[in-house]
Amino acid sequence: MSWLTAEEALRALKTKPQTLYANVSRGRIRAKADPADPRRSLYQAADVQRLAERHAGRRKTETVAAEAIRWGDPVLSSAISTIIGGRLFYRGKDMAVFAEVATLEQTAALLWNGAEPLSPGSETRHASPSLQAAFLALAGRVTSDLPSLGRSQAALRREASRVLYTVADALAPGPSDVPLHLRLAASWQRPDAADCLRRALVLLADHELNASAFAARVTASAGAALSAAVLSGLATLTGPLHGGAWQGVDALIENASTLGAAQAIRRTLAQGNRLSAFGHPLYPDGDIRALALLSHFPLPPQFDELRRVGEEVVGEKVNVDFVLAAMAAAFDLPREAPIILFSLARSAGWLAHAMEQIDSGELIRPRARYTGPTPETDSRA
């Protein structure tokens, strides 16, 4: 990711400083403090270039649409969550503050714009709680749950509660009257991790229009059952560029244990690979979710060294993928704990997006810009 000084950005935009600052405040241009001089700011080059081209009138409509789905301009309206000034908000509430006291159940109530979800009361016992069990449980629901179209938001919220607990029973089995973070801590036999798990579940519940939320919305827009929307979101989450990024952090830690942090980072960069532990396009000053969790558990020595060296070499702060992997190591949680946390928490967000999309009554059906062979035409015509 490349950055420009204010002077370079102003030359590219051919505008006044006030306009540059206004675009930053509106989220159109990402900015961060200059590591060499904290009194100055740097501006994301891709954002500046996009605005410069727009002002020059050089972009066609299809180009605008193509760029919008790659960290570009907003493509649909949502009242669920947003990121402004490096802070994450759920329906206007600052999540770094909300996570101090809230549970995932209370977060779901906020995201769903309704009552707190209630467990159906009949816990399903899974022989081996796992992500695979969650996939199977959701797939079993998809074939029997009603389509979402033509049903009231109250009815959908009741079903959302049942779907959320379907996922919870597969990932964090336990008594139906016990909060989900305590169920998760008990299933891993790590009661001392309960508060950190609670905070993580709240902070991970939603993140604007990310890849898995968009997948859930596409599924819901076709009228499919809520369980199908969550299944779509869960499948998308497993990708290494999304919820599966923790595996890249684990691999970096393994290399650092033999090579040292500095050498492991340099080797990864020299091979042209991205460092999934550092930086986030929406948080130029640091992932607020990571910052909100870091002070609540001691970083294991290897993670502490990797953070210190990496932030200096890369110039970006550690992100939530790094912190989840570090938290798993600090509390001796199962290796797959980061994706389990992500899956359970984000299910609440996917359900919120699905219900909002259903309420809009719109089918998400973009057009493709064809780049294949020239279509054959009938020469006799």
Side-chain angles (χ1 to χ4, degrees), residues 126-147:
H126 293 273
S128 178
S130 63
L131 201 61
Q132 182 181 20
F135 272 109
L136 293 173
L138 285 169
R141 288 194 65 114
V142 169
T143 57
S144 58
D145 285 353
L146 288 172

Side-chain angles (χ1 to χ4, degrees), residues 100 192 195-196 199 291-298 331:
E100 289 293 318
D192 56 330
D195 188 63
C196 271
R199 293 171 187 271
L291 297 174
L293 284 171
L294 275 171
S295 61
H296 296 285
F297 68 93
F331 290 105

Side-chain angles (χ1 to χ4, degrees), residues 1 18 80 126 128 158 179 186 221 247 261 277 279 282 351 370:
M1 185 181 295
Q18 299 94 310
I80 297 171
H126 293 273
S128 178
R158 288 194 294 272
S221 79
Q247 296 181 82
L282 297 179
L351 287 161
Y370 181 70

Side-chain angles (χ1 to χ4, degrees), residues 123-130 133-134 136-137 165-171 173:
E123 176 191 350
T124 302
R125 294 285 183 180
H126 293 273
S128 178
S130 63
L136 293 173
Y165 277 93
T166 293
V167 176
D169 288 343
L171 299 178

Side-chain angles (χ1 to χ4, degrees), residues 20-85:
L20 172 62
Y21 305 146
N23 280 316
V24 171
S25 67
R26 292 168 185 163
R28 294 172 181 166
I29 296 177
R30 286 162 282 181
K32 70 173 184 178
D34 188 342
D37 184 356
R39 296 170 300 177
R40 297 166 57 88
S41 294
L42 298 177
Y43 303 89
Q44 222 287 309
D47 295 344
V48 171
Q49 183 64 25
R50 183 173 63 249
L51 279 181
E53 290 179 353
R54 175 186 296 173
H55 294 158
R58 292 198 295 267
R59 295 199 310 167
K60 296 181 179 179
T61 301
E62 59 265 28
T63 305
V64 175
E67 292 181 357
I69 63 173
R70 297 192 298 271
W71 303 97
D73 294 331
V75 298
L76 55 79
S77 299
S78 176
I80 297 171
S81 69
T82 189
I83 300 158
I84 299 175

Side-chain angles (χ1 to χ4, degrees), residues 202-335:
V202 173
L203 291 163
L204 294 172
D206 197 58
H207 205 233
E208 204 218 36
L209 195 61
N210 54 75
S212 58
F214 189 68
R217 291 189 80 116
V218 170
T219 302
S221 79
L226 291 180
S227 52
V230 174
L231 186 59
S232 294
L234 186 59
T236 306
L237 184 73
T238 60
L241 298 183
H242 196 5
W246 63 275
Q247 296 181 82
V249 180
D250 271 7
L252 189 58
I253 284 291
E254 289 178 10
N255 288 336
S257 66
T258 57
L259 302 173
Q263 186 59 32
I265 289 170
R266 288 190 173 90
R267 174 175 290 189
T268 302
L269 293 174
Q271 292 172 343
N273 298 323
R274 65 188 295 271
L275 290 168
S276 57
F278 301 93
H280 191 290
L282 297 179
Y283 299 106
D285 293 321
D287 189 334
I288 188 61
R289 300 165 299 173
L291 297 174
L293 284 171
L294 275 171
S295 61
H296 296 285
F297 68 93
L299 273 180
Q302 281 188 319
F303 283 87
D304 190 45
E305 182 191 13
L306 184 66
R307 178 192 183 189
R308 178 179 54 79
V309 175
E311 289 185 349
E312 181 180 350
V313 172
V314 180
E316 299 277 2
K317 294 181 180 179
V318 293
N319 55 32
V320 76
D321 300 304
F322 171 91
V323 174
L324 290 178
M327 192 167 75
F331 290 105
D332 194 24
L333 303 178
R335 183 175 179 271

